[in-house]
Amino acid sequence: MKKILGIRVIPGLIFYGNINHNKEMNTIKLTPEITKIIENLNKLHVFDGLNSLDISRKGYETMAIQLGGKKEAVKIIEEFNIRNKNHEIPVRIYRPNGIVNEKSPAIIYLHGGWFISGSFETHNTIVRQLANVTGSVIVFVDYRLAPEHPFPAGFDDAQWATEWILNNSDALNIDKNKVGIIGDSAGAALAVGISTRLGQQLRFQVLIYPAADNQLNTQSWKDYEDGPIINKDEGIKAWNWYLNDPRDQQNPMAIPLLIKDFKNTPPTFILLAEHDPLRDEGKQLAQNMEASEIRVKITHYREMVHGFMHMGAVLKETREAVLEIAAFAKENSK
């Protein structure tokens, strides 16, 4: 086994130590662009981290800023807090260029980061692009993170914020009949639970390489347990931080593959990456939804890795995915 001293970088996790490249990893066909990205990530350093978790979160932000590409201008950005019992949920609204005064369609965005990382900054670039390409108001929810706030804190924040946006749509100049939801990775897990509960109040959902199961026992997890980008050891750690009460490990709102009935779920678009350990659980989630006879579209991005939506500075596939998401959103917001 070949070992390279460096930093292991995972969206939401970053750990100093040895990066292992086993024989199976050497057979993976990666594009030259992905190979260059991984090489550069191995050189990423965070110098002012307070502890390993703080370094993880700052490393995620650094990766997203470096690889995300140019931040598109939008018409206006608004920030405010939504009160939920004894705490407040920060949200940021992106209103796209070309928006007019009548009520606009809207998309709730729930970020990834293994339930422990992610912020306004990690998704600033991609959310700006989505706002402009979809012509929708994007509402980014900065939900609480584990391990400080394990399940159901983040899920409750995301659901509360979504319902608040729907109930206050007039004041926000949003058309409540044209609201969808997007989540990537861990955020996709939150989105599935919310769309299952709110049903037809949402016009559509988009799930980008969803984290759908905490068992990490699919074939794709076996194939890519050492990466690239994310690995099994850190995935187990993150899920344990998120679900620190054993009872939560049987809760369908925490683990999407445990949901039995999707009959009220809105039309769904699932994006998967070929070289992603989450690939097969995403496939299974799509099959479970189809069994409930809801409309599901699925796209496999060949030779892509987990987190490729953060890599628009290098990958053309990031823009292709944005355009495909926009087409789906527009189709289902008519």
Side-chain angles (χ1 to χ4, degrees), residues 68-269:
K70 182 180 178 180
K71 295 182 178 65
E72 291 185 9
V74 294
K75 184 173 183 179
I76 191 170
I77 295 176
E78 307 159 44
E79 291 186 6
F80 58 91
N81 293 336
I82 297 174
R83 187 71 180 175
N84 181 12
K85 299 178 182 177
N86 60 349
H87 76 284
E88 295 186 337
I89 308 165
V91 299
R92 180 183 284 181
I93 291 183
Y94 296 78
R95 297 190 188 270
N97 289 326
I99 198 169
V100 291
N101 290 327
E102 63 256 26
K103 292 180 181 177
S104 305
I107 298 172
I108 313 297
Y109 197 102
L110 304 176
H111 67 80
W114 271 134
F115 308 104
I116 67 169
S117 295
S119 64
F120 290 143
E121 297 311 312
T122 57
H123 287 68
N124 195 13
T125 299
I126 188 65
V127 169
R128 287 169 180 264
Q129 293 178 18
L130 285 169
N132 286 332
V133 175
T134 62
S136 297
V137 172
I138 307 291
V139 185
F140 187 96
V141 180
D142 193 17
Y143 58 85
R144 287 173 291 175
L145 300 173
E148 298 92 337
H149 304 286
F151 181 85
F155 178 82
D156 287 348
D157 284 355
Q159 180 174 332
W160 183 270
T162 300
E163 292 178 329
W164 189 94
I165 295 296
L166 291 168
N167 293 333
N168 292 273
S169 57
D170 287 344
L172 297 170
N173 210 26
I174 286 172
D175 186 343
K176 71 180 299 181
N177 296 314
K178 295 183 178 181
V179 178
I181 192 167
I182 296 177
D184 70 272
S185 196
L190 303 180
V192 174
I194 292 167
S195 68
T196 301
R197 285 188 170 178
L198 299 187
Q200 298 307 312
Q201 293 184 64
L202 298 170
R203 295 298 300 272
F204 64 87
Q205 70 174 337
V206 178
L207 309 176
I208 304 169
Y209 30 72
D213 192 20
N214 69 330
Q215 297 302 304
L216 281 63
N217 60 2
T218 62
Q219 184 60 49
S220 58
W221 268 112
K222 294 176 183 176
D223 292 340
Y224 303 111
E225 65 177 332
D226 293 321
I229 308 298
I230 58 175
N231 68 70
K232 188 171 183 177
D233 288 345
E234 311 312 343
I236 292 170
K237 181 182 294 186
W239 272 108
N240 288 338
W241 273 341
Y242 181 54
L243 305 178
N244 70 350
D245 185 334
R247 293 172 296 181
D248 294 333
Q249 298 187 18
Q250 302 301 318
N251 191 328
M253 293 300 98
I255 304 171
L257 284 192
L258 297 181
I259 297 174
K260 301 298 183 183
D261 189 352
F262 290 96
K263 65 181 180 181
N264 293 319
T265 300
T268 299
F269 178 25

